[in-house]
Amino acid sequence: LQLDALANLTGKVGFFESAKYADGTPVAYVATIQEFGDGQIPPRPFMRPTIAERSTEWTRQFGGGAAAVARGEVSPAQVMDAVCAMAAGDVRKTISQVSEPPLADSTVAARKRRYADKGATGNLTKPLVDTAIMVNSVTHMVTTGGEG
């Protein structure tokens, strides 16, 4: 019965509707542009490489969790939540490690101007983490059946 409940859960990892920049732009929109590029911005993939590199480990964790559910040690929701939390952390780690392709000179110059205007200091040359909103917005949710 508990394993049936596990099969009825859906885990999602990524950028959800509530994640927005200060101007209202959805973080998911910006993340998609970064992942695939848009003609002016080159692709800086982070989601697809993370899935390719880590999905075997997520599957292994899920399998161990399913066995723990069968033994009555944890709930199905705890297993799904733990695996999704691991996946979200892996995506955040990948984002923090992306360094190629380098930012355009115009982007670096714009960052310099923005930092000078606000008196803030950020990373002038690191892609994907200018404001840290995107990396900090990667999260997960677990829903039952088709919810969410």
Side-chain angles (χ1 to χ4, degrees):
L1 186 59
Q2 288 288 357
L3 287 178
D4 290 339
L6 184 59
N8 196 38
L9 295 176
T10 300
K12 298 178 183 181
V13 174
F15 308 92
F16 299 103
E17 189 175 338
S18 62
K20 297 187 187 305
Y21 289 90
D23 67 359
T25 302
V27 175
Y29 171 74
V30 173
T32 300
I33 291 171
Q34 293 297 330
E35 179 77 16
F36 296 101
D38 77 347
Q40 294 180 0
I41 297 172
R44 293 184 175 92
F46 55 87
M47 191 68 83
R48 292 170 295 156
T50 304
I51 293 167
E53 293 170 18
R54 299 290 295 156
S55 61
T56 299
E57 178 61 19
W58 303 334
T59 301
R60 189 183 74 69
Q61 290 292 328
F62 185 82
V69 167
R71 292 189 301 269
E73 297 171 355
V74 296
S75 74
Q78 287 172 314
V79 170
M80 187 64 79
D81 186 66
V83 172
C84 290
M86 173 189 283
D90 290 341
V91 171
R92 285 189 296 273
K93 181 178 179 184
T94 301
I95 290 170
S96 72
Q97 294 173 339
V98 170
S99 61
E100 296 293 328
L103 296 176
D105 291 341
S106 59
T107 302
V108 174
R111 284 186 180 185
K112 284 180 183 177
R113 284 190 305 275
R114 195 167 57 252
Y115 295 151
D117 291 345
K118 294 181 181 178
T121 304
N123 190 314
L124 294 175
T125 60
K126 169 75 176 79
L128 305 183
V129 295
D130 180 29
T131 63
I133 291 172
M134 186 172 69
V135 70
N136 290 332
S137 295
V138 178
T139 190
H140 69 282
M141 71 168 63
V142 176
T143 59
T144 303
E147 295 175 24

